[in-house]
C-alpha cells in the first residue's frame, strides 16, 4: 500500500468486495487458500489505484508481476465492468 495500513483507504468498498469475491471463487477453483492468490493489501492497492490497463496494473504497489500477468485481464474487468469482451451486446 502507498499509505499507512491504519489510515482510511481511498478505494470504493464495492470494488474491494468484488475483488475479494473473485479471489474467493478463484481460490476455490484452484484449490488453494485465497491469500495465496493475492493478499488483502494487494487487493486494496488494486482497488485504490483502479488501473485502466495491464501496464498500469503492473505498477500497482504490492502486486507481484506474475500475478498481474496471470490475473490481470480479470482484475481489469472487475475494476471496469462493461468495458471488456464479456459486456452485454457482444457476441
Amino acid at each position: 500500500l502507498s499509505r499507512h495500513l491504519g489510515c482510511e483507504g481511498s478505494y470504493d468498498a464495492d470494488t474491494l468486495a468484488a475483488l475479494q469475491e473473485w479471489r474467493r471463487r478463484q481460490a476455490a477453483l484452484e484449490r488453494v487458500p485465497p491469500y495465496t492468490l493475492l493478499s488483502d493489501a494487494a487487493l486494496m492497492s488494486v482497488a485504490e489505484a483502479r488501473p485502466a490497463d495491464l501496464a498500469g496494473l503492473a505498477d500497482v504497489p504490492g502486486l507481484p508481476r506474475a500475478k498481474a500477468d496471470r490475473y490481470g485481464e480479470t482484475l481489469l474487468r472487475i475494476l471496469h465492468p462493461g468495458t471488456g469482451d464479456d459486456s452485454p451486446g457482444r457476441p
Side-chain angles (χ1 to χ4, degrees):
L1 292 174
S2 57
R3 61 176 170 75
H4 186 275
L5 283 175
C7 295
E8 186 173 326
S10 60
Y11 54 82
D12 176 69
D14 290 338
T15 299
L16 181 59
L19 290 167
Q20 290 169 328
E21 177 60 19
W22 162 80
R23 179 181 63 178
R24 186 193 63 73
R25 288 191 325 266
Q26 186 64 35
L29 287 173
E30 295 185 26
R31 297 178 186 228
V32 297
Y35 67 86
T36 63
L37 296 184
L38 291 172
S39 68
D40 286 339
L43 291 180
M44 283 189 254
S45 290
V46 169
E48 285 184 334
R50 294 189 63 81
D53 55 28
L54 292 174
L57 193 63
D59 291 335
V60 172
L63 182 64
R65 180 62 185 231
K67 302 290 183 161
D69 290 344
R70 183 169 183 180
Y71 302 116
E73 293 289 342
T74 300
L75 294 172
L76 290 173
R77 281 194 302 272
I78 293 167
L79 293 172
H80 308 287
T83 60
D85 289 339
D86 61 347
S87 60
R90 296 215 178 191

